[in-house]
Every structure is written in C-alpha cells, then in structure tokens.
Amino acid sequence: MDTSDIRKGLKLMMDGNPYVVTDFQFVKPGKGQAFTRTKMRNMLSGNTIERNIRSGERFEPADVEDRTLQFIYQEGENYVFMHPKTGDQVSVHQDIVGDANGFLMDGIDVMITIYNGNPVSIELPPHIVAQIIETEPGERGNTATNVNKPAKITTGATVGVPLFCVEGEWIKIDTRTKQYIERAKAPSLAPR
C-alpha cells in the first residue's frame, strides 16, 4: 500500500505494531516533497502517534480480522461476545473494552478487531437506544438549548440529556461522543 491508500479507519503495520488511522491530511508544501500527516492509534497499547508519511512511501496492511459479534454477558473482568450464526464465542478483557462497557447491552452488535488470534479493539455501533433509569425531575416546557443534566441509562453509563428528559424515557445516544441525540421509541422485543 502507498500514501494514496491512507484514509480514516485504515489498519496498517508501523514499527512492527498494528495501527489504525484516526485522522489524516495531505500536505503539499511550496518547496519539497508532498506528504500525508497522520494520527494513528496503536491497536495493542492504545497510544496515539503522529507521523508524516512522504508521498510514494510504501507500507504493509495490518493482518487483522474484523468480526461483527453480539454481546451476551460479562464474566468477571471479561466480556463475552458470540457470532450469531456459528455460536463461536470470543472473550474480551475489560482493558480492551475500555469505557465502551457503559454502552454494552444484551444482543448489541459490535465490531471486534482480532490480531494474531487475540481481540485488540472493539467498535460500538454509532447509535444506541436506551432507557433513562435515574435523573433529576424534568422541567415541563423547558427548551433551553445546550443545558444538560446527568442521566443514568440502563447500561450503567451516565450521559448528558436536556432538562425536559424524565426517568423511564427512551433516548437515542451517539456512542462516539456519548451525547444525547433525540427521544426514541422503545425498541421492539421481536426475535431476530
């Protein structure tokens, strides 16, 4: 692969470790050779580095496998995920799950990246629908913008919600920013 292949989410090998590109920018200076400025996250340690890659430079893709699995339960410090069709189970340590654990609910599909047979990262779906189980009383008619109060949802995470949200209400949450998006209807309990 070369610099023209660089994009967000690209998984590549750098210094013997697998990295994922989190941000990039093509730079063409007035003098000298063009290059791509990248930010990459080490998939093993979680550290982020910035690296300039000169145009024409070549690198190898990371030998990783992405699998879509369903979360089924937590067992001590491990979270167990299952392939919905084959029933194969993968156990992921809480260090890899990180703060995503606050948004894991039974049956949620997540993308797990496997490197050398071991899970190295998980990616939540962009949005989830959860119920508020604990928050301060709502204020009727209060539509002030950008004013939030903390609310605990069914998964255990705490997110900022507008003042009009009340306990028992279902909301849609952006898992990347951990922010309230909108009110939602309760998910149907129909089997998949």
Side-chain angles (χ1 to χ4, degrees):
M1 295 169 44
D2 63 23
T3 50
S4 64
D5 296 317
I6 294 176
R7 65 190 181 287
K8 280 187 181 181
L10 176 71
K11 296 170 176 90
L12 55 98
M13 294 298 289
M14 186 78 57
D15 305 325
N17 289 309
Y19 283 86
V20 61
V21 175
T22 57
D23 198 18
F24 74 100
Q25 177 184 10
F26 181 75
V27 178
K28 175 96 171 100
K31 283 185 166 184
Q33 188 177 12
F35 63 92
T36 303
R37 181 176 292 131
T38 63
K39 280 188 181 177
M40 298 182 277
R41 183 176 44 81
N42 185 317
M43 295 170 68
L44 300 177
S45 68
N47 296 337
T48 301
I49 64 168
E50 291 187 22
R51 181 76 50 98
N52 292 340
I53 301 174
R54 293 186 311 270
S55 290
E57 202 172 314
R58 300 189 62 75
F59 46 88
E60 67 176 289
D63 185 21
V64 296
E65 176 188 358
D66 289 331
R67 294 185 197 166
T68 301
L69 303 173
Q70 283 181 347
F71 172 67
I72 49 176
Y73 62 91
Q74 181 179 358
E75 184 176 61
E77 294 186 343
N78 293 313
Y79 294 81
V80 181
F81 298 85
M82 180 181 74
H83 191 283
K85 292 188 174 78
T86 64
D88 293 341
Q89 293 185 1
V90 174
S91 185
V92 181
H93 193 270
Q94 70 182 13
D95 292 343
I96 294 166
V97 173
D99 59 359
N101 68 350
F103 297 100
L104 289 176
M105 54 178 87
D106 291 344
I108 190 172
D109 289 335
V110 299
M111 180 74 70
I112 297 183
T113 302
I114 311 254
Y115 174 69
N116 285 344
N118 297 315
V120 292
S121 71
I122 76 164
E123 184 178 329
L124 294 168
H127 310 106
I128 63 166
V129 173
Q131 189 174 26
I132 297 173
I133 58 171
E134 187 180 307
T135 189
E136 298 168 10
E139 296 180 25
R140 209 167 209 32
N142 192 335
T143 56
T145 57
N146 297 330
V147 177
N148 286 337
K149 63 181 180 179
K152 189 172 185 179
I153 58 174
T154 50
T155 60
T158 300
V159 296
V161 297
L163 297 174
F164 56 78
C165 290
V166 295
E167 286 181 18
E169 196 167 17
W170 290 85
I171 57 172
K172 188 174 187 179
I173 302 161
D174 186 323
T175 59
R176 297 162 296 199
T177 62
K178 300 169 181 41
Q179 295 293 317
Y180 165 91
I181 298 175
E182 63 187 2
R183 289 177 165 159
K185 292 184 178 171
S188 65
L189 301 174
R192 292 182 174 202

